[in-house]
Amino acid sequence: MDDRRSMDDEKEQTGNIDGFEEDQPYDVRLVRMLNDALRRRELGGNVFVTRGVGMLPRQELAAILQAVACFDDFNEDNDPYGEHDCAVMTVGQHRIIWKIDYYDRALKGFSPDPSNPHLTRRILTVMLASEY
């Protein structure tokens, strides 16, 4: 097997599609894992919905949060850095956006290292696209 093929296989296995992870000052794989834990199980941060999402009927709100938790259609177009930190999707009749931001523990600025849960507070915000 040639070197190019083995590098492609390694990128596919690690999720490093475009080599970006190698240039990051933090471990993107760990960031992705922590983001998935927040999104799927509400672990390691806080989940907020905007006023528009919060005012929807309870069943629609539940469907949106479930769709965010189950989302797995990440690709180079919607996840160029491999962090699983944002998506735009349609749930029922609602176009929604969700985004995870990385703040320092005091919520006064951005985290110096989003891969370190001791330095980072993750905030997942779910909003209607019309609220953006």
Side-chain angles (χ1 to χ4, degrees):
M1 177 157 53
D2 66 13
D3 289 337
R4 185 177 56 210
R5 179 75 174 140
S6 63
M7 286 186 349
D8 289 344
D9 290 344
E10 180 181 341
K11 287 179 182 179
E12 186 176 312
Q13 290 173 359
T14 63
N16 184 358
I17 303 301
D18 60 4
F20 189 82
E21 289 181 14
E22 296 167 7
D23 298 333
Q24 286 292 54
Y26 52 83
D27 185 341
V28 173
R29 289 172 294 187
L30 185 53
V31 169
R32 182 170 47 242
M33 181 188 74
L34 293 166
N35 286 347
D36 287 344
L38 174 58
R39 192 171 47 80
R40 293 177 181 157
R41 298 182 305 279
E42 297 184 29
L43 296 175
N46 299 94
V47 178
F48 293 96
V49 298
T50 57
R51 183 177 303 239
V53 173
M55 292 179 71
L56 293 173
R58 183 177 288 221
Q59 290 177 327
E60 292 178 33
L61 172 60
I64 288 171
L65 294 176
Q66 181 66 26
V68 169
C70 293
F71 183 82
D72 67 354
D73 189 24
F74 294 103
N75 57 59
E76 287 185 33
D77 290 332
N78 66 14
D79 191 30
Y81 305 115
E83 296 181 4
H84 292 189
D85 64 341
C86 184
V88 178
M89 56 197 298
T90 300
V91 181
Q93 59 183 305
H94 303 289
R95 190 80 169 148
I96 65 156
I97 301 170
W98 60 265
K99 172 76 173 118
I100 298 174
D101 292 297
Y102 318 125
Y103 294 99
D104 64 27
R105 296 297 289 175
L107 299 175
K108 294 187 182 220
F110 293 111
S111 172
D113 180 0
S115 66
N116 185 336
H118 300 291
L119 299 176
T120 305
R121 165 80 92 212
R122 284 179 157 62
I123 304 293
L124 167 60
T125 305
V126 181
M127 68 188 84
L128 298 173
S130 62
E131 295 179 294
Y132 184 71

